Amino acid sequence: QYASDSSVATITQSNGPYGGTTSNNEATINQLSATLGNNAEILQTEDSEDSAATINQTGATNTAIARQIHSGGYSTGGSVTFVDQNGDQNDADVTQSHTDGSDADVAQKGALNDATVRQDSNGPHDAMFADVIQNGDSNIAETNQDDADQSQATVTQTGNFQTATIKQDDSSASTATTDQADSNGSSAAITQTNGASNTASATQVEAQDTGATIIQNGSENDAVIYQYHMSATTASSRQVGDLNKSNINQQHTDASDATVLQNGNSNDAL
């Protein structure tokens, strides 16, 4: 759809009335050069695995929704979703359920963007990957990963008034990373619960009136917060469990505050 305003595009791929598993499906929606609200939705449901969904939108007030769901047990083949939005007031919503080894990538360039990624596994807890990149103002990114070991979640934001949230539950040896630059009034929050050997890192550079929080519940977890060239900022790390490590590094900062809470044995705070 090119230069078409208020358009709606929906693609549905499922296993049909005869059951079974559908594999290697591909769906792509392109909505370009629009000035009003376009909607794009890709649904790959039932027992879909090894599927790919791509949504490209250029314009204002766009909405992108991608659903990849394996309803019968779990999928041994990971699905891939890519959303690229270049414009204002965009909204991206990605769900990958019961799909091990899945990958979700969201890229937004513009103002007032909102990205949500949900991933969960129902099988042998294979790794899942989520990457959100937002270049613009007033962006919000939220990533949730459940029941998947060795998963990776990354949020990168450049602009003002941004919020980055990553939650990983029942996952071990997973990594969560937020990176925010040139922002005012931004916040980063990472929560890792019911897992071990997880790593969390929050970086904020050239900012003011910002905050970073990391909460970890488990053993042998590692939390790192970096804040550089900032003013009026806060950093907080809370860990419950044994042999955890926490490192808060604030350099060239004014009126900043750092808090570390550790409940357990052999904890290390730097």
Side-chain angles (χ1 to χ4, degrees):
Q1 295 171 324
Y2 179 78
S4 177
D5 297 331
S6 301
S7 297
V8 177
T10 302
I11 297 177
T12 301
Q13 296 173 318
S14 65
N15 60 9
Y18 302 105
T21 299
T22 58
S23 301
N24 302 313
N25 288 319
E26 294 184 8
T28 300
I29 295 176
N30 296 315
Q31 293 175 323
L32 309 176
S33 299
T35 58
L36 295 178
N38 292 319
N39 295 321
E41 185 173 8
I42 295 178
L43 305 176
Q44 294 170 325
T45 61
E46 303 301 333
D47 292 335
S48 179
E49 60 184 29
D50 289 317
S51 297
T54 301
I55 298 176
N56 298 305
Q57 293 176 317
T58 301
T61 324
N62 293 315
T63 298
I65 298 174
R67 299 281 187 268
Q68 295 173 318
I69 300 173
H70 191 280
S71 58
Y74 70 93
S75 169
T76 58
S79 295
V80 177
T81 293
F82 177 70
V83 177
D84 186 3
Q85 295 174 316
N86 188 347
D88 299 327
Q89 298 181 326
N90 292 314
D91 185 5
D93 190 336
V94 178
T95 298
Q96 295 172 320
S97 183
H98 294 187
T99 55
D100 288 355
S102 292
D103 190 347
D105 296 294
V106 178
Q108 295 175 319
K109 183 178 181 180
L112 305 178
N113 293 314
D114 191 343
T116 302
V117 178
R118 305 177 190 87
Q119 297 175 314
D120 69 83
S121 170
N122 195 34
H125 311 291
D126 286 347
M128 295 181 292
F129 305 91
D131 188 9
V132 177
I133 299 175
Q134 295 174 319
N135 185 356
D137 298 329
S138 305
N139 293 312
I140 299 175
E142 180 175 353
T143 299
N144 295 283
Q145 294 177 322
D146 295 330
D147 296 319
D149 297 338
Q150 298 180 339
S151 292
Q152 296 180 14
T154 302
V155 175
T156 303
Q157 296 174 319
T158 303
N160 294 328
F161 306 108
Q162 299 181 1
T163 301
T165 304
I166 297 176
K167 298 178 182 179
Q168 294 175 321
D169 187 33
D170 290 325
S171 301
S172 295
S174 294
T175 301
T177 304
T178 64
D179 192 344
Q180 296 171 315
D182 300 322
S183 58
N184 297 321
S186 297
S187 66
I190 298 174
T191 303
Q192 296 173 318
T193 57
N194 302 321
S197 301
N198 291 315
T199 300
S201 174
T203 300
Q204 295 173 321
V205 180
E206 301 289 350
Q208 62 182 4
D209 297 321
T210 65
T213 302
I214 295 177
I215 299 175
Q216 295 174 316
N217 184 356
S219 300
E220 300 183 38
N221 292 315
D222 191 0
V224 180
I225 297 177
Y226 298 100
Q227 294 176 323
Y228 300 111
H229 296 284
M230 302 172 63
S231 62
T233 63
T234 62
S236 176
S237 175
R238 178 182 177 184
Q239 296 173 312
V240 179
D242 299 330
L243 303 176
N244 293 313
K245 293 183 179 181
S246 178
N247 182 1
I248 296 179
N249 190 336
Q250 295 173 318
Q251 296 186 14
H252 303 289
T253 60
D254 298 324
S256 296
D257 182 71
T259 303
V260 176
L261 300 175
Q262 294 175 315
N263 183 1
N265 300 319
S266 302
N267 294 311
D268 190 1
L270 302 176

